[in-house]
Amino acid sequence: KYTLWVQAFTEKHEGTPSPDTVVWTDVQSPGKPEIMSLTCKSGNTLFLRWMRPEVFYRTVDVYAVHYRARQAGAEMEWEQQMVETVNNTINHMMYINNLTTNTAYEVRVRAATQSLVGVKKVHEGEWS
């Protein structure tokens, strides 16, 4: 939090200060998480493990995990699962269930940090 005002000065006089303006600074978006492992656990389940971004401001509050089937000539819609962090953990993991057997999948992870000034604002980082 910063309080700013403007006031003019000359060699002989000092002007009246302007009214105070309060400015809040906010956190920035975190960096990219690093996917450490993505393995098939069964015909329809993937196991995903990733590390917290090296660069973040304050905390990483939530991760968005997106995945979609890869099919030649078709752009499939991304499915999303949100993973909330606990105690600012460094190492994260999850299972992605109910997938189609014998299908290749694309997976990406993005970290996000809650704003300090905007009630529902979230600063999202880059995709892994």
Side-chain angles (χ1 to χ4, degrees), residues 68-85:
R68 68 180 175 187
R70 294 183 67 185
Q71 294 182 353
E75 255 323 283
M76 304 299 288
E77 291 291 318
W78 289 100
E79 300 285 334
Q80 175 179 285
Q81 290 187 27
M82 300 303 287
V83 179
E84 293 187 19
T85 62

Side-chain angles (χ1 to χ4, degrees), residues 28 47-48 56 65 101 109 119:
Q28 292 184 355
F47 176 73
L48 171 64
F56 63 95
V65 177
T101 304
V109 180
V119 177

Side-chain angles (χ1 to χ4, degrees), residues 40-111:
C40 295
K41 293 311 263 185
S42 69
N44 63 354
T45 300
L46 290 175
F47 176 73
L48 171 64
R49 187 170 71 85
W50 70 93
M51 298 293 285
R52 180 181 68 193
E54 289 185 18
V55 176
F56 63 95
Y57 305 90
R58 193 175 58 89
T59 64
V60 173
D61 298 308
V62 68
Y63 291 94
V65 177
H66 283 197
Y67 57 95
R68 68 180 175 187
R70 294 183 67 185
Q71 294 182 353
E75 255 323 283
M76 304 299 288
E77 291 291 318
W78 289 100
E79 300 285 334
Q80 175 179 285
Q81 290 187 27
M82 300 303 287
V83 179
E84 293 187 19
T85 62
V86 178
N87 298 327
N88 208 18
T89 307
I90 296 171
N91 189 20
H92 301 273
M93 58 192 85
M94 70 176 290
Y95 288 97
I96 303 172
N97 299 308
N98 301 319
L99 303 174
T100 304
T101 304
N102 296 324
T103 303
Y105 280 85
E106 183 177 358
V107 177
R108 63 186 186 178
V109 180
R110 175 165 55 192

